[in-house]
Amino acid sequence: VQLQACGGGLVKAGGSLRLSCAASGRTFSTYFMGWFRQAPGKEREFVAAIARSGGNIYADSVKGRFTISRDSAKNTVYLQMSTLKPEDTAVYYCASNGVFLSDSPDKYAYWGQGTLVTVSS
């Protein structure tokens, strides 16, 4: 499975961005797809995840501001980020696995290369 994330960039606080992650390879390994992020000097943290069925989970820090969605026909997952804050600045990674809808990075077998989101104050 290969995951290709894109859509990062520089945005002012309060602005919006949409990240995309296109998956290729074994479809069952992408039943569950998630977004994680890692800020400089910090550990990787969970952002949101979505099942092929559409069920989803969010980190408390992004609830109400971020929306995860997927287009199963295109095997692509999106992260719509709104009302961005400087503390959202991080490299965002997409990940997938075929077993769990989880907020733990340990449950994800496949990872994309990351896309940088910078939110200026």
Side-chain angles (χ1 to χ4, degrees), residues 36-56:
F36 293 79
R37 65 187 181 186
Q38 188 165 18
K42 295 187 177 182
E43 293 187 353
R44 190 169 297 189
E45 65 173 3
F46 170 72
V47 177
I50 188 167
R52 190 173 179 86
S53 64
N56 55 58

Side-chain angles (χ1 to χ4, degrees), residues 26-90:
R26 298 190 298 182
T27 303
F28 72 87
S29 295
T30 61
Y31 278 3
F32 303 97
M33 298 186 74
W35 288 98
F36 293 79
R37 65 187 181 186
Q38 188 165 18
K42 295 187 177 182
E43 293 187 353
R44 190 169 297 189
E45 65 173 3
F46 170 72
V47 177
I50 188 167
R52 190 173 179 86
S53 64
N56 55 58
I57 53 175
Y58 292 92
D60 288 344
S61 60
V62 306
K63 280 182 182 177
R65 300 190 298 122
F66 291 10
T67 302
I68 191 170
S69 61
R70 67 187 296 166
D71 183 334
S72 294
K74 296 181 179 179
N75 220 9
T76 298
V77 64
Y78 305 97
L79 186 68
Q80 178 67 47
M81 305 184 293
S82 302
T83 319
L84 283 161
K85 305 175 181 180
E87 51 263 45
D88 294 319
T89 295

Side-chain angles (χ1 to χ4, degrees), residues 82-105:
S82 302
T83 319
L84 283 161
K85 305 175 181 180
E87 51 263 45
D88 294 319
T89 295
V91 176
Y92 284 70
Y93 298 89
C94 64
S96 76
N97 79 85
V99 183
F100 299 102
L101 182 64
S102 175
D103 62 359
S104 171

